[in-house]
Amino acid sequence: MRSPKAIASFRRLYVHSLDFTPKSYLCTTKRAFLCRPSVNATVINPAATCCFPSQYFNNLASKPYSSSPQMEGIEHRIVKANGINMHVAEKGKGPLILFLHGFPELWYSWRHQINAFASLGYRALAPDLRGYGETEAPGDASAYTCMNVVGDLVALLDAVAADQEQVFVVGHDWGALIAWWLCMFRPDRVKALVNLSVVFSPRIPDRKPLETLRAVYGEDYYICRFQEPGVIEAEFKEIGYERILKGFFTYRSPGPLLLPKGKYFGQPDTPISLPSWLSEEELKYYISQYEKKGFTGGLNYYRAINSNWELTAPWTGSKVKVPVKFIVGDLDLTYNAPGVKDFVHKGGFKKYVPLLEEVVVMEGVAHFLHEEKPDEINKHIHHFLKKF
């Protein structure tokens, strides 16, 4: 059992307040997110000669993208941004909404939002983030810092929305954390933000995130288990990607997620039933993408948490100064982490996000709230964005 003192020391460190990688990458991404326009952001024309064979683009337009009614009309393309090839899905015309997914997700996690907001007169755009899905995946965790991923987004916006100086942003899980960084580093690019699940976490100068997580939760805590390259990937592969993804998507305990070796989401022979909001067909799409690329890209974000803590030192004490709405489920493990509820409801959150306009806590809802309750989430997002 962890001591009360250890728990108390964690009061202001959010479960997902992860900080990322080496300083050698700072110079490679600095221009991409500190300057506008970016010179290394271009849209790749599928018909043009490039590093992808034509079959690659044919695959983007084929199943499973178009295999269900939810996917009709969604366009897919590859954009060269910040030195990597990024896959983006988009639909609609009008003010752009940039949707940022988390782990273990994909652009596809926003399928309900893409269609809804396209019909409401917005241009909904959801990339596969660096390391996920059809987007390029550098091998080393040092390529997954806050500097890299924010650089990707700024370069992406330069390429696909050069006519819009500011855009709306909606983030979930890691996407929410990245959205906080985007707003902190480049508030000039964000008109308003709706973040789901992951609250803003101010940097604590004398406390490295990974060491704090180990002290509070122990080595079986999922973020700690993700640290050694190749180890957790091998375990995931042995157990099977279907069970791993089912386990993550069905996790509804407000307590910390522990992954002791050999006991992932219950005993290996215990069946995991899908929730009503995720069909077998939808799960198959996730499985197909992770079978192609594995989990390393997504796991590398977690492996860079201490490097991010180092890189964000200049922003210690900084505030997020864009209009914000925050939505979380009361069963979400992130909301139930030590100190988070007090931070959200007793003034800490508002102190660091002074333009925070609304906090919504959804009863009986867990982590993947935008998939579990898409209609309600869409109404919450739209009610906020239409003010602008």
Side-chain angles (χ1 to χ4, degrees), residues 140-298:
D140 195 272
S142 64
Y144 292 80
T145 73
C146 54
M147 301 300 175
N148 296 99
V149 294
V150 172
D152 294 346
L153 298 181
V154 173
L156 176 64
L157 292 176
D158 287 342
V160 303
D163 61 326
Q164 298 188 37
E165 196 160 320
Q166 291 187 313
V167 302
F168 295 116
V169 179
V170 179
H172 172 253
D173 187 79
W174 265 102
L177 181 56
I178 294 166
W180 291 124
W181 284 326
L182 175 62
C183 291
M184 194 161 62
F185 300 158
R186 291 300 304 270
D188 59 305
R189 304 307 299 270
V190 182
K191 188 179 297 184
L193 169 68
V194 179
N195 256 352
L196 314 180
S197 181
V198 175
V199 73
F200 178 75
S201 183
R203 183 180 183 274
I204 303 174
D206 60 351
R207 194 176 304 156
K208 287 189 175 183
L210 185 56
E211 285 70 17
T212 303
L213 292 170
R214 283 194 173 116
V216 174
Y217 294 118
E219 291 291 344
D220 285 341
Y221 186 55
Y222 76 107
I223 294 175
C224 301
R225 291 277 282 118
F226 288 173
Q227 293 304 309
E228 187 65 31
V231 174
I232 202 75
E233 288 95 327
E235 293 180 25
F236 281 3
K237 190 171 184 179
E238 182 179 354
I239 292 167
Y241 290 168
E242 179 177 354
R243 182 173 183 83
I244 293 301
L245 288 165
K246 278 185 175 181
F248 280 119
F249 286 136
T250 59
Y251 190 80
R252 299 186 67 81
S253 170
L257 175 57
L258 303 178
L259 297 177
K261 188 172 182 178
K263 294 183 180 179
Y264 287 65
F265 310 110
Q267 298 300 326
D269 56 350
T270 305
I272 300 175
S273 299
L274 287 178
S276 60
W277 50 265
L278 185 66
S279 70
E280 289 288 346
E281 180 186 8
E282 290 168 327
L283 179 68
K284 284 178 182 177
Y285 177 68
Y286 284 106
I287 295 170
S288 70
Q289 291 297 293
Y290 280 96
E291 283 181 341
K292 279 195 244 178
K293 189 166 285 184
F295 282 84
T296 299

Side-chain angles (χ1 to χ4, degrees), residues 27-201:
C27 60
T28 63
T29 61
K30 183 177 180 182
R31 178 170 56 191
F33 82 85
L34 292 180
C35 301
R36 188 174 187 269
S38 173
V39 297
N40 61 350
T42 56
V43 179
I44 295 179
N45 181 351
T49 303
C50 64
C51 59
F52 288 99
S54 60
Q55 181 184 2
Y56 179 89
F57 296 98
N58 293 336
N59 289 340
L60 285 183
S62 64
K63 294 182 179 181
Y65 291 120
S66 58
S67 64
S68 73
Q70 293 175 335
M71 298 300 99
E72 290 179 4
I74 296 179
E75 298 179 355
H76 299 268
R77 56 174 164 158
I78 297 296
V79 178
K80 185 78 170 181
N82 197 27
I84 65 169
N85 295 301
M86 295 189 73
H87 164 244
V88 297
E90 62 179 306
K91 186 176 182 180
K93 295 181 179 180
L96 189 141
I97 306 176
L98 177 64
F99 290 95
L100 305 176
H101 69 78
F103 176 89
E105 299 179 278
L106 302 161
W107 74 269
Y108 187 68
S109 307
W110 297 110
R111 59 198 178 280
H112 306 296
Q113 287 69 41
I114 292 172
N115 285 304
F117 283 93
S119 70
L120 289 168
Y122 293 89
R123 180 185 174 195
L125 187 142
D128 279 331
L129 294 176
R130 173 181 290 246
Y132 287 92
E134 302 288 353
T135 290
E136 222 172 307
D140 195 272
S142 64
Y144 292 80
T145 73
C146 54
M147 301 300 175
N148 296 99
V149 294
V150 172
D152 294 346
L153 298 181
V154 173
L156 176 64
L157 292 176
D158 287 342
V160 303
D163 61 326
Q164 298 188 37
E165 196 160 320
Q166 291 187 313
V167 302
F168 295 116
V169 179
V170 179
H172 172 253
D173 187 79
W174 265 102
L177 181 56
I178 294 166
W180 291 124
W181 284 326
L182 175 62
C183 291
M184 194 161 62
F185 300 158
R186 291 300 304 270
D188 59 305
R189 304 307 299 270
V190 182
K191 188 179 297 184
L193 169 68
V194 179
N195 256 352
L196 314 180
S197 181
V198 175
V199 73
F200 178 75
S201 183

